[in-house]
């Protein structure tokens, strides 16, 4: 089975207020569809997105980064997961405390204290249950050498087999300029593609890592 994380996470301050980011979830969902088209059994663990479940693909919906990690861990315990692809834009931090209900503006705390969220893909890679772990790195491609170096160090730090370096322009766009980086090989420029085409190319690359 292939496990794919997708979308943003929401980190709640109280029952109605949260912070999040602009991830649409389109990359993760496109990857799931492309993998399913190649006959893979796919489960998506997604933060809140405005996308329907793709045909024939199980989508588990979560809200926070911690919930995303818990849902993924459970799947690794219960099912034979071979590949984990982390396309989610997990919030790096969450508020230290969550208030109940909706405090009025005069009642709530005014200074936001943040704590670090768990790193979902690094935690899953450290478990060593799945065979292949692939992450994404969103960096400005203006200085390509620096971006490649940052992506490579992310790959090593998180214990990944490969990382997809994306230009920051990909965030709210239907297209993405991406590079494929593995621990050993030279980086491969995949070009500027729409997300379904990039997803198909990535599924090929991930499948090749398996053989
Ligand atoms: N990721 C994750 N859990 C997190 C943060 C990131 O699983 N808490 C995953 C993302 O899904 C992506 C990869 O890690 O595959 C890179 O995320 P990114 O936010 O670019 O890296 P960071 O570790 O946050 O590094 P920095 O913000 O310092 O660039």
């Amino acid at each position: 089975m292939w496990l794919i994380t997708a979308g943003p996470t929401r980190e709640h301050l109280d029952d109605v207020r949260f912070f999040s980011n602009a991830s649409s979830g389109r990359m993760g969902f496109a990857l799931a569809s492309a993998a399913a088209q190649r006959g893979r059994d796919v489960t998506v663990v997604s933060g809140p997105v405005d996308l329907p479940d793709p045909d024939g693909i199980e989508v588990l919906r979560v809200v926070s980064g911690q919930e995303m990690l818990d849902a993924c861990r459970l799947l690794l315990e219960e099912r034979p997961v071979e590949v984990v692809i982390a396309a989610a834009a997990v919030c790096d931090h969450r508020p230290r405390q969550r208030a109940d209900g909706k405090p009025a503006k005069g009642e709530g705390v005014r200074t936001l204290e943040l704590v670090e969220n768990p790193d979902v893909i690094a935690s899953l890679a450290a478990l060593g249950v799945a065979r292949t772990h692939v992450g994404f790195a969103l960096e400005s491609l203006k200085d390509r050498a620096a971006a490649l170096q940052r992506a490579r160090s992310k790959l090593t730090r998180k214990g990944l087999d490969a990382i997809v370096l994306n230009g920051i322009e990909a965030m709210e766009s239907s297209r993405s300029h991406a590079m494929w980086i593995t621990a050993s090989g030279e980086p491969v420029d995949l070009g500027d593609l729409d997300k379904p085409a990039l997803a198909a190319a990535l599924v090929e690359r991930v499948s090749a890592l398996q053989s």
Side-chain angles (χ1 to χ4, degrees), residues 86-88 90-92 118-121 135-139 154 157-158:
V90 182
C91 290
D92 288 325
D119 191 303
V120 176
I121 190 66
F136 280 76
L138 199 62
E139 308 279 355
K154 228 170 254 189
R157 191 170 75 239
K158 299 190 187 215

